[in-house]
Amino acid sequence: TTKAVPSETMEGVDTSTDHVKALTGSNWVAVCSGGGGGSGGGGGDASVSSQASADKMNNRARRQNLTPDERARQNRDRNREHARNTRLRKKAYVEELKRTLTALVSQRDAA
């Protein structure tokens, strides 16, 4: 038989349903780094969205002026940065899994 153990007794590892949902959500890096899993405050300013829209149009116009070689280089650079961020996310996720596994194994062995 196994007994349910509250998440507070698991040596600092949060195994609550909310934390697990946050880890499996799209913003799990912030959860792993201790930034919390809550949704960010929503001050969706109209001036900020209009500025973002204007920036997007400027970037599009600038992209049209690039040569094919420059555009290919820009795509490679963007892809390289995306791949780097993906590797960092995966590394943070694996580290969080290792910490959770270690805590669960030590809890099991202590029982």
Side-chain angles (χ1 to χ4, degrees):
T1 62
T2 60
K3 59 181 179 178
V5 177
S7 60
E8 294 85 25
T9 64
M10 296 214 34
E11 300 174 18
V13 176
D14 187 359
T15 57
S16 66
T17 303
D18 291 337
H19 187 70
V20 172
K21 284 181 182 177
L23 286 175
T24 56
S26 61
N27 197 17
W28 61 267
V29 174
V31 176
C32 289
S33 63
S39 60
D45 224 21
S47 63
V48 172
S49 65
S50 65
Q51 179 64 33
S53 175
D55 288 345
K56 187 175 181 181
M57 293 302 288
N58 288 338
N59 287 340
R60 185 173 295 153
R62 229 176 300 154
R63 244 181 278 135
Q64 289 175 347
N65 295 332
L66 295 177
T67 67
D69 287 340
E70 290 172 331
R71 187 175 294 182
R73 183 185 52 78
Q74 194 176 61
N75 286 341
R76 281 193 305 271
D77 291 344
R78 187 171 36 248
N79 188 42
R80 185 178 296 117
E81 184 67 23
H82 178 73
R84 179 180 176 273
N85 289 338
T86 300
R87 287 189 299 271
L88 290 173
R89 268 198 320 270
K90 180 180 179 183
K91 184 176 181 180
Y93 177 67
V94 168
E95 290 300 318
E96 178 71 14
L97 285 177
K98 286 179 184 178
R99 283 194 296 273
T100 303
L101 178 64
T102 302
L104 290 173
V105 167
S106 64
Q107 176 199 1
R108 181 198 65 196
D109 292 344

